[in-house]
Amino acid sequence: MTIIGPQGFRAAGLAAGIKDGERLDLALVVNDGPQHAAAGLFTTNQVKAAPVLWSQQVLAGGALRGVVLNSGGANACTGPEGFQTTHATAEKAAELLGCGAGEIAVCSTGIIGEQLPRAKVLAGLEKAVAGLADTVVAGTAAATAVLTTDSRPKQVQIVDDDGWSVGGFAKGSGMIAPAMATMLVVLTTDAVADAATCEAALRNAVEWTFNRLDIDGGTSTNDTVLLLASGASEVTVSVDELTSTLTAACAALCQELQADAEGATKRVSVSVRGARSDADALTVARTVSQDNLCKTAWFGSDPNWGRIAMAVGRSAAMVDPERLAITINGVAMCRDGVAAGDRHAADLAGPEILVEIDLGVGDGVGGILTTDLSHAYVEENSAYSS
Amino acid sequence: MTIIGPQGFRAAGLAAGIKDGERLDLALVVNDGPQHAAAGLFTTNQVKAAPVLWSQQVLAGGALRGVVLNSGGANACTGPEGFQTTHATAEKAAELLGCGAGEIAVCSTGIIGEQLPRAKVLAGLEKAVAGLADTVVAGTAAATAVLTTDSRPKQVQIVDDDGWSVGGFAKGSGMIAPAMATMLVVLTTDAVADAATCEAALRNAVEWTFNRLDIDGGTSTNDTVLLLASGASEVTVSVDELTSTLTAACAALCQELQADAEGATKRVSVSVRGARSDADALTVARTVSQDNLCKTAWFGSDPNWGRIAMAVGRSAAMVDPERLAITINGVAMCRDGVAAGDRHAADLAGPEILVEIDLGVGDGVGGILTTDLSHAYVEENSAYSS
């Protein structure tokens, strides 16, 4: 169940001193081949972190030998000095691994606007290369070293019947609202796939998984999803085959991210159908998912469907108020735009809430996974940097 | 300082039994003339409450004799039965006041999706008409009867040197994000102004006041701003003159709304300049104002400008990360997209926070008044309907 599950990969995670104390903060994932095909998707935020700017350039080549990741600092809004830190990190990793810096991606996460301690990162990298292993312990250490406010590592492995697999880890519990990708995710596969196949399959999988997750509307400066393919299984896959297994792996990581979202007490799925278009359905689902009045009602286990109707109506999608239907946890709340019965018939006490919205104006469908807005979210986010 | 400050107006507010107990829940404002010019602005939410649908039709006539307002129920998502309640309310008021129903506006606020107790509303109206008075006590009772989660009535009167004035009240503390208007507001003036002058001046004033207030992004189903002109001062005003005094009155009510926002501990002003256009500036200000990570940082008095940079970057406005400047309470946090010094030099401990953002790419300016996101907001909104 770790990043080194697929053949051809090693990993390491350790405490480089970027964070205080002995907390793990530096991770390295290496692709030992025989192939080094790779693809990456990055944040759509116009303010991009230095490692995003670097890794986007690197991925244009379609090959990766390794990925260096750190927590304890996002290296965003850090100007030329920050970019030089990322560049020096890639150069150092390349030197240690015997490849070119253009085959090393870098990912960072943590507070925005502060410089990383470059010397500590570079010193930590030497230890990381020395500690590379294809063990579950090493894979889990890497998955742990990228965490910030996450409460636990998030790992996955999906084994295909044809003798190849996809492994991966993710980090992220806040500032999560995908527009392209939404956090740091590294995926590995031992399938034989070229860079174009990797990119096509990764785009497909992310569109239906990470891009449908929205914790707090905050598309970050550092979001990155990387896929590294070693070819070590010697099984060649098509885009469709790779998409299918990747989607399963990404969906599993999405559930982990949703369950570990900052302060979340409810896992909420907002499902929309009957929209004029799929895009409209997604717009409605996203507006409801980002609405603080809906999110606080979910926290209070309150079937206050009027707030959902409000959020639907203020969305940019085409809405006919007289055709709106809302169901919560299987109980009809609203039909033809008016109350469908006793709102308290819906039981929201459990940790799962399913909101189904039918706009009744077309065939468009779409959905978003989200969470409630709790005291713990406020607590955690009012004390993060100070 | 009340709705009956201008000459020619009477008001009443009482407990009609729509809410439990003896709480005031029904208000009436009457224009005794000699003129009855009026204008109204309404929510842009596609799901509109019955009283909004009714009052929009009424205002097409440009004249109002009276306004009936209730709290304890929004009469939204209530279908034909809800519309009939609004219609019956206007008919009853017209009968009692000796005018046509087409000169009576209706406003409702409270929970969405439940029918109003029609008989109680109509019985209450008889008492309201009997109790109409041009006293401060009556005006304040009316301003009190429209409150929901508000902690206090919000009233204003601005007296012009030329012998006329504007009075008014507002209600609203959550589900506030203006797209046209953003809560219930009734304004009166004794100036002589026709309906076209009223409408032009009201649009101007609202665009620069209520439409720049955003508590929680939730444009409600019931938002209404009404202006009633009695002409009783016999002073004829131009659009510019009326706009100027109306804007002062609306700005004062906006400050009241911001200060009494649900759970707010900080009054935050987000001011943007250097945008490609005024529209872009407003987009950035609104995105930052609605961002939960920014809002919780303000609650924690945390000068975490990186979250502001994140929100700026994910907005739909054109942003050049290398030109971004952010100042908080007068202290430069970010210049040319990187840290400008020690973030902790900014003191956010007080109740007022001024966030200034310079995009450095043009001449566009815009701003939004907002609040922080506190434990009290979560508490209040997780227990509202259940």
Side-chain angles (χ1 to χ4, degrees):
Chain A
M1 284 289 288
T2 81
I3 193 92
I4 53 76
Q7 300 173 63
F9 295 93
R10 288 177 297 156
L14 53 81
I18 307 167
K19 291 178 176 172
D20 292 335
E22 289 302 302
R23 291 181 292 167
L24 304 192
D25 53 20
L26 190 70
L28 178 63
V29 177
V30 169
N31 180 354
D32 290 319
Q35 301 189 339
H36 301 98
L41 297 174
F42 300 92
T43 184
T44 54
N45 197 307
Q46 297 174 87
V47 177
K48 297 185 204 308
V52 168
L53 296 171
W54 169 263
S55 298
Q56 278 184 315
Q57 291 183 340
V58 165
L59 264 298
L64 280 182
R65 289 291 294 266
V67 185
V68 182
L69 308 95
N70 74 274
S71 55
N75 201 359
C77 297
T78 47
E81 185 182 342
F83 191 82
Q84 285 160 17
T85 297
T86 295
H87 188 197
T89 302
E91 288 277 5
K92 180 78 175 181
E95 174 197 326
L96 293 165
L97 295 170
C99 63
E103 296 171 286
I104 303 292
V106 180
C107 302
S108 300
T109 184
I111 196 163
I112 295 168
E114 294 185 356
Q115 298 292 339
L116 284 176
R118 193 184 301 176
K120 289 181 178 175
V121 172
L122 300 184
L125 253 181
E126 295 199 9
K127 286 192 220 168
V129 171
L132 280 169
D134 63 352
T135 62
V136 170
V137 169
T140 301
T144 303
V146 296
L147 306 181
T148 53
T149 56
D150 311 62
S151 70
R152 52 182 179 269
K154 299 161 182 70
Q155 305 186 82
V156 69
Q157 187 182 2
I158 306 281
V159 179
D160 190 274
D161 288 343
D162 288 341
W164 59 283
S165 69
V166 168
F169 62 69
K171 73 78 53 179
S173 53
M175 210 177 275
I176 290 197
M180 174 53 65
T182 310
M183 62 263 109
L184 301 186
V185 178
V186 180
L187 298 157
T188 54
T189 180
D190 48 14
V192 178
D194 60 15
T197 299
C198 287
E199 168 143 1
L202 188 62
R203 279 193 187 280
N204 292 342
V206 167
E207 178 61 23
W208 290 96
T209 55
F210 298 118
N211 280 0
R212 306 296 164 105
L213 178 71
D214 190 325
I215 302 304
D216 55 9
T219 305
S220 100
T221 49
N222 290 53
D223 297 340
T224 300
V225 178
L226 298 175
L227 170 65
L228 290 72
S230 70
S233 72
E234 299 183 356
V235 180
T236 302
V237 295
S238 67
V239 170
D240 284 353
E241 288 167 329
L242 188 55
T243 294
S244 172
T245 304
L246 267 185
T247 301
C250 292
L253 288 174
C254 268
Q255 289 188 351
E256 294 275 329
L257 290 165
Q258 182 191 25
D260 196 30
E262 284 173 347
T265 72
K266 307 279 189 185
R267 299 185 293 280
V268 183
S269 175
V270 180
S271 175
V272 178
R273 60 193 167 93
R276 190 177 46 175
S277 64
D278 289 353
D280 258 21
L282 203 56
T283 295
V284 167
R286 195 176 294 281
T287 304
V288 171
S289 296
Q290 292 183 356
D291 188 273
N292 281 354
L293 289 163
C294 293
K295 290 173 99 74
T296 48
W298 297 327
F299 172 57
S301 301
D302 180 1
N304 193 338
W305 63 267
R307 292 181 179 177
I308 297 171
M310 178 276 292
V312 170
R314 75 176 176 84
S315 80
M318 200 269 273
V319 174
D320 179 346
E322 297 181 4
R323 296 190 185 183
L324 178 63
I326 299 170
T327 299
I328 303 181
N329 281 359
V331 179
M333 295 277 111
C334 170
R335 196 178 296 130
D336 299 331
V338 303
D342 178 9
R343 71 173 68 208
H344 296 292
D347 181 5
L348 278 65
E352 301 268 2
I353 297 177
L354 173 60
V355 176
E356 294 172 286
I357 298 166
D358 191 341
L359 298 180
V361 296
D363 298 322
V365 297
I368 290 283
L369 296 180
T370 187
T371 59
D372 57 343
L373 173 59
S374 70
H375 284 304
Y377 179 92
V378 174
E379 189 64 27
E380 195 157 333
N381 284 299
S382 61
Y384 181 60
S385 91
S386 56
Chain B
M1 283 292 286
T2 82
I3 193 91
I4 53 76
Q7 301 172 64
F9 294 94
R10 288 178 296 155
L14 51 81
I18 307 167
K19 291 178 176 172
D20 293 335
E22 290 301 303
R23 289 182 293 166
L24 304 191
D25 53 19
L26 190 69
L28 178 62
V29 177
V30 169
N31 179 355
D32 291 320
Q35 301 189 337
H36 301 97
L41 297 174
F42 301 91
T43 183
T44 53
N45 196 307
Q46 297 174 87
V47 177
K48 296 185 205 308
V52 167
L53 295 171
W54 170 263
S55 299
Q56 278 184 315
Q57 290 183 341
V58 166
L59 265 299
L64 280 183
R65 289 290 296 264
V67 185
V68 182
L69 308 96
N70 74 273
S71 55
N75 200 1
C77 298
T78 48
E81 185 183 341
F83 191 81
Q84 284 159 18
T85 297
T86 295
H87 187 197
T89 301
E91 288 277 6
K92 181 76 174 180
E95 176 197 325
L96 293 166
L97 296 170
C99 64
E103 296 170 287
I104 303 292
V106 180
C107 302
S108 300
T109 182
I111 195 163
I112 294 168
E114 294 185 357
Q115 298 292 337
L116 285 177
R118 192 184 303 175
K120 287 181 179 174
V121 172
L122 300 184
L125 254 183
E126 295 200 10
K127 285 193 221 168
V129 171
L132 280 169
D134 62 353
T135 62
V136 170
V137 169
T140 301
T144 303
V146 296
L147 305 181
T148 54
T149 55
D150 309 63
S151 71
R152 54 184 180 268
K154 298 161 182 72
Q155 305 185 82
V156 69
Q157 187 181 2
I158 306 282
V159 179
D160 189 274
D161 288 342
D162 288 341
W164 60 282
S165 69
V166 168
F169 62 68
K171 72 79 52 177
S173 53
M175 210 178 276
I176 290 198
M180 175 51 64
T182 310
M183 63 264 108
L184 303 186
V185 177
V186 181
L187 298 157
T188 54
T189 181
D190 48 14
V192 178
D194 60 15
T197 300
C198 286
E199 168 142 4
L202 188 61
R203 279 194 187 282
N204 291 343
V206 166
E207 178 61 23
W208 290 97
T209 54
F210 298 118
N211 280 0
R212 307 294 165 104
L213 178 71
D214 190 324
I215 303 303
D216 55 9
T219 306
S220 100
T221 50
N222 290 54
D223 296 340
T224 300
V225 178
L226 299 175
L227 170 65
L228 289 73
S230 70
S233 71
E234 299 183 356
V235 180
T236 301
V237 295
S238 68
V239 169
D240 283 353
E241 287 167 330
L242 188 54
T243 295
S244 172
T245 304
L246 267 184
T247 300
C250 292
L253 288 174
C254 267
Q255 289 188 352
E256 294 276 328
L257 290 164
Q258 184 191 25
D260 196 30
E262 285 175 350
T265 72
K266 306 280 189 183
R267 299 186 294 281
V268 184
S269 177
V270 180
S271 176
V272 178
R273 59 193 167 91
R276 189 177 46 175
S277 63
D278 289 354
D280 257 21
L282 203 55
T283 294
V284 167
R286 196 176 293 281
T287 304
V288 171
S289 295
Q290 292 183 355
D291 189 273
N292 280 354
L293 289 162
C294 293
K295 290 172 100 73
T296 48
W298 296 328
F299 172 57
S301 302
D302 180 0
N304 193 337
W305 63 267
R307 292 182 180 179
I308 296 170
M310 178 276 293
V312 169
R314 74 177 176 84
S315 79
M318 199 267 273
V319 175
D320 179 346
E322 297 181 7
R323 296 189 184 185
L324 178 63
I326 299 171
T327 299
I328 303 181
N329 282 358
V331 178
M333 295 277 110
C334 170
R335 195 179 297 131
D336 300 331
V338 303
D342 178 9
R343 68 173 70 210
H344 296 291
D347 180 5
L348 278 65
E352 302 268 2
I353 297 177
L354 173 60
V355 176
E356 294 171 285
I357 299 164
D358 190 341
L359 298 180
V361 296
D363 297 323
V365 297
I368 290 282
L369 296 180
T370 188
T371 59
D372 57 342
L373 173 58
S374 69
H375 285 306
Y377 179 94
V378 173
E379 189 65 26
E380 195 158 332
N381 284 300
S382 61
Y384 181 60
S385 90
S386 56

